Amino acid sequence: MNKLNFASIEVLIEKIQNKEISSRELVEHSAKRFQAHNSKLNASLEIFDTDSILKNVKDGGALHGIPGVLKDVICQNGRKLTCGSKVLEGLHSTYDATATSRLKLASAPIMGRANCDEFAMGSSTETSAFGPTFNPWDTSRVPGGSSGGSAAAVAAGLVPWALGSETGGSVRQPAAFCGIVGLKPTYGLVSRYGLVAFTSSFDQIGPLTRTVKGNAHILSAIAGNDPNDSTSLNVEPKDYTAQLNGSIKPGLRIGVIQNAMQADGVDPEIIAATEESIKQFEKLGAKIENVQLPAMEYGAAVYFILARAQAASNLARFDGVRYGLRAQTDTLQQMYEQTRDQGFGSNVKARILTGNYVLSSGFADKYYDNARRVRQMMRQEFVDTFKQFDLLLCPVTPEPAFKVGAYDNNKLAMDLQDYFTCASNITGTPAISVPCGMTSQGLPIGVQLLGPDLSEELLLQTAYAYEQATPWHTMHPKNF
Ligand code: GLN
């Protein structure tokens, strides 16, 4: 097997620095990998031609010409932008997202656009208008979602990194399903400028990588204040790899979220792997205690309401006037209606309907306003809990990667995929998903560390020490 296939960013940086390989060779290698394997996965919607990819890549730069892909909800100047939807047919981005331009500044070649659930709404990448993405560990299964194309491409060794986006778990959950590392940064740490809005008050771009250090490299390139995003935090860019020394912070206190560990319906293999990971953290010197976090219990309900309400408002702009598809009709009213009817898939339509319902007069108090109040309560509980603990720990998902079509007749059950993840989005706090085991069927399992605002360095340091002490990041799917 070619050693480049599953090489991590840190290994590739060394190879580039030692002049063992050039960025053109890396880009060509990755393009060949997509050519050979993408038809089995449908991970990318488009791989650009090599010369146009390399046009922006200069010598030097923190990412040294190491290629990746961007979830197709992130603008790339002059490239198509679909959000996994037919409604944007024919649209090309007219500018770079801030994350995109910062990656280019860091000399990262961007190979293409990764498949995703339509407008990032989903947990399986089955709702893309361009067909589902498949999990490289077992192609009869989903890679998770909504950043499934990004996760599958990294896990299958087609690129060493990808950007995804999170609203309720869409980086961490596919990372767990695909056996890689996924980070959801603190709300406002990474600019949302040029990220197509789903739930503006939850959305964050996050890196998907094979290793924790790789993740820190990508975060270092994209994080930091951006005047183009009014919700961007006043944080200067920094080197998130600096703390990664293989040991954890002395006296680190980790709270294990008991209501998650004991929740109904969690696969016993997930619990067993999570418990093993806790022992490993203890060996590394962490002080482990149990904690109840009732706020997590309200997450799915609050998420259901707020995410749909904001999605309904954000997606109102796709009406045939400014972007993409325009239905040919006799009247303006028909044009709006038919563009939206033809352009949006059923999942997105259902969310828009529910979102407008919870915002409508007579119901907004009961649903939207109440959900906002519970959100504040959850935030307070998180802040209070982080006075006692440095980090919290629980599973990422209740089950490993499920079969394609498994939830076709039970969409509500699919929503429970976010049960352990969406509280971090609601409270704006960061969390990371790291591989922690394999099921008896050979499917990856992830463990989640949750931290207080702007604790990315601590999360990465802790995750790195864990990763270095365990074998999971060295395992890769066969046949790729
Ligand atoms: N699975 C969640 C949803 O369907 C989360 C999506 C996301 O994080 N973008 O909304």
Side-chain angles (χ1 to χ4, degrees):
M1 188 178 74
N2 188 323
K3 279 210 177 110
L4 290 179
N5 294 356
F6 292 96
S8 63
I9 293 175
E10 56 272 30
V11 167
L12 293 173
I13 288 181
E14 246 184 71
K15 286 193 190 297
I16 293 243
Q17 279 175 338
N18 298 342
K19 303 217 177 334
E20 279 172 58
I21 189 151
S22 70
S23 54
R24 173 169 286 274
E25 283 167 317
L26 273 181
V27 168
E28 281 169 355
H29 177 75
S30 173
K32 272 197 207 125
R33 300 277 297 153
F34 275 101
Q35 226 167 40
H37 298 291
N38 194 51
S39 58
K40 288 176 268 178
L41 298 172
N42 199 26
S44 75
L45 296 172
E46 182 185 6
I47 295 299
F48 312 134
D49 80 273
T50 301
D51 287 335
S52 77
I53 297 169
L54 285 164
K55 213 168 60 197
N56 296 308
V57 181
K58 292 163 222 73
D59 280 345
L63 289 169
H64 298 271
I66 295 167
V69 287
L70 307 192
K71 181 179 182 178
D72 201 19
V73 291
I74 300 171
C75 293
Q76 304 188 48
N77 190 19
R79 307 290 194 188
K80 275 190 197 164
L81 175 71
T82 69
C83 298
S85 181
K86 277 198 298 215
V87 84
L88 295 184
E89 203 169 80
L91 180 75
H92 287 72
S93 293
T94 52
Y95 66 99
D96 273 333
T98 298
T100 310
S101 56
R102 289 189 179 172
L103 285 164
K104 287 180 179 172
L105 254 174
S107 291
I110 301 173
M111 298 291 302
R113 302 180 290 114
N115 200 8
C116 59
D117 278 301
E118 187 174 4
F119 284 100
M121 298 177 191
S123 301
S124 63
T125 318
E126 292 172 290
T127 71
S128 166
F130 306 100
T133 297
F134 303 102
N135 191 315
W137 292 88
D138 173 351
T139 51
S140 71
R141 293 175 188 271
V142 305
S146 58
S147 314
S150 302
V154 173
L158 312 187
V159 267
W161 64 268
L163 288 190
S165 70
E166 274 237 9
T167 302
S170 281
V171 168
R172 286 165 287 161
Q173 185 253 20
F177 276 16
C178 292
I180 58 172
V181 181
L183 174 75
K184 197 291 276 186
T186 306
Y187 182 77
L189 181 62
V190 178
S191 171
R192 291 185 297 114
Y193 181 71
L195 165 68
V196 177
F198 164 9
T199 305
S200 312
S201 71
F202 298 164
D203 298 340
Q204 265 299 284
I205 291 172
L208 291 131
T209 53
R210 297 195 189 114
T211 61
V212 174
K213 197 175 253 181
N215 212 283
H217 276 295
I218 301 297
L219 184 67
S220 308
I222 62 174
N225 182 260
D226 175 18
N228 283 331
D229 172 1
S230 61
T231 58
S232 165
L233 296 172
N234 201 4
V235 175
E236 288 304 309
K238 61 172 111 168
D239 177 6
Y240 288 91
T241 65
Q243 304 287 325
L244 310 185
N245 51 18
S247 55
I248 64 166
K249 182 183 124 176
L252 185 85
R253 297 160 305 167
I254 300 181
V256 178
I257 305 173
Q258 286 308 296
N259 43 308
M261 296 297 284
Q262 287 152 10
D264 283 345
V266 185
D267 188 306
E269 288 195 287
I270 300 244
I271 295 297
T274 311
E275 277 167 353
E276 276 308 307
S277 78
I278 295 168
K279 285 187 200 147
Q280 186 60 54
F281 282 112
E282 218 163 7
K283 266 197 212 153
L284 288 164
K287 296 202 174 93
I288 307 285
E289 262 178 70
N290 292 336
V291 60
Q292 293 289 341
L293 194 69
M296 194 167 255
E297 309 290 314
Y298 308 126
V302 169
Y303 181 82
F304 187 94
I305 295 167
L306 296 183
R308 280 158 180 77
Q310 292 186 37
S313 303
N314 275 324
L315 270 57
R317 72 191 61 155
F318 303 113
D319 58 3
V321 177
R322 293 184 209 79
Y323 310 97
L325 187 76
R326 178 177 297 169
Q328 299 306 313
T329 55
D330 296 334
T331 69
L332 183 63
Q333 184 64 31
Q334 283 172 359
M335 193 279 284
Y336 292 143
E337 288 173 8
Q338 289 185 30
T339 298
R340 288 168 69 79
D341 185 34
Q342 292 164 20
F344 290 132
S346 59
N347 174 55
V348 170
K349 282 180 188 158
R351 293 201 187 205
I352 293 173
L353 282 174
T354 326
N356 283 320
Y357 175 78
V358 301
L359 287 172
S360 58
S361 94
F363 295 101
D365 290 356
K366 192 167 156 199
Y367 295 111
Y368 190 68
D369 292 344
N370 261 337
R372 278 178 45 202
R373 278 188 211 106
V374 179
R375 179 184 190 182
Q376 292 311 320
M377 212 185 78
M378 290 175 66
R379 163 91 191 153
Q380 196 51 51
E381 192 178 302
F382 264 62
V383 169
D384 290 344
T385 309
F386 283 123
K387 288 179 186 149
Q388 292 172 55
F389 297 100
D390 296 299
L391 299 175
L392 300 174
L393 181 153
C394 72
V396 185
T397 58
E399 60 179 333
F402 48 85
K403 291 271 186 190
V404 174
Y407 287 115
D408 278 359
N409 300 317
N410 193 353
K411 299 276 189 261
L412 206 58
M414 177 93 91
D415 281 335
L416 295 179
Q417 284 296 319
D418 310 328
Y419 206 87
F420 301 140
T421 48
C422 67
S424 304
N425 307 77
I426 293 168
T427 58
T429 49
I432 192 167
S433 165
V434 212
C436 76
M438 286 284 169
T439 68
S440 46
Q441 290 191 59
L443 299 171
I445 302 175
V447 63
Q448 182 179 208
L449 292 170
L450 300 80
D453 293 342
L454 295 175
S455 60
E456 279 78 4
E457 283 168 296
L458 183 66
L459 283 169
L460 290 161
Q461 180 191 7
T462 313
Y464 180 72
Y466 173 76
E467 176 192 77
Q468 295 306 299
T470 54
W472 312 114
H473 65 292
T474 63
M475 295 180 186
H476 306 299
K478 291 189 204 85
N479 310 323
F480 285 97

